[in-house]
Amino acid sequence: MEEVPQAACETVEAVEGVHLTQLAVGERMSVQQFHIEPGAAVPEHSHHHEQVGYVAKGTFTFHVDGEEYVIGPGDSYVIPGGEPHEARNDGEEPVSGIDVFSPPRANPDWQD
């Protein structure tokens, strides 16, 4: 087993108002914490990784394949690999949660 203390994890601001913390990274999957400020957006992108997520706090809106999905506290989601998607926080409070990627994903290529 490998322990990954929170203090050892670096948080990056991938785009303005979107903070990502790479947590544990294994051979077949990775876990990432996200924090999205009000008004911030994750630009449309796609990746070969399957993405499974859980929202702990706040509400944000995904746009996937022409559809809009509002995801709130306690909700989870699955985005298949290769599916273009974007997300934005139109609310007045930050959104935070966890994403799991398989295979493991480093910080996104849309990061500045």
Side-chain angles (χ1 to χ4, degrees):
M1 183 175 125
E2 178 184 351
E3 179 184 4
V4 181
Q6 177 74 32
C9 300
E10 179 184 2
T11 299
V12 298
E13 188 170 20
V15 294
E16 187 175 349
V18 177
H19 306 273
L20 305 176
T21 306
Q22 187 75 267
L23 302 172
V25 178
E27 290 182 29
R28 296 190 183 122
M29 66 183 71
S30 60
V31 180
Q32 176 180 273
Q33 185 176 27
F34 61 84
H35 180 88
I36 304 172
E37 296 292 334
V42 175
E44 184 177 79
H45 64 287
S46 66
H47 40 75
H48 69 279
H49 315 83
E50 180 177 45
Q51 179 177 349
V52 177
Y54 172 80
V55 176
K57 176 183 171 189
T59 300
F60 67 143
T61 304
F62 272 104
H63 285 262
V64 181
D65 197 26
E67 296 287 327
E68 183 173 279
Y69 302 88
V70 178
I71 309 295
D75 292 341
S76 56
Y77 51 89
V78 177
I79 302 172
E83 181 120 8
H85 56 284
E86 63 182 275
R88 70 178 188 276
N89 180 354
D90 294 328
E92 296 182 10
E93 70 174 312
V95 177
S96 60
I98 298 288
D99 278 324
V100 176
F101 296 93
S102 179
R105 185 180 91 160
N107 286 327
D109 58 8
W110 44 266
Q111 177 182 332
D112 289 336

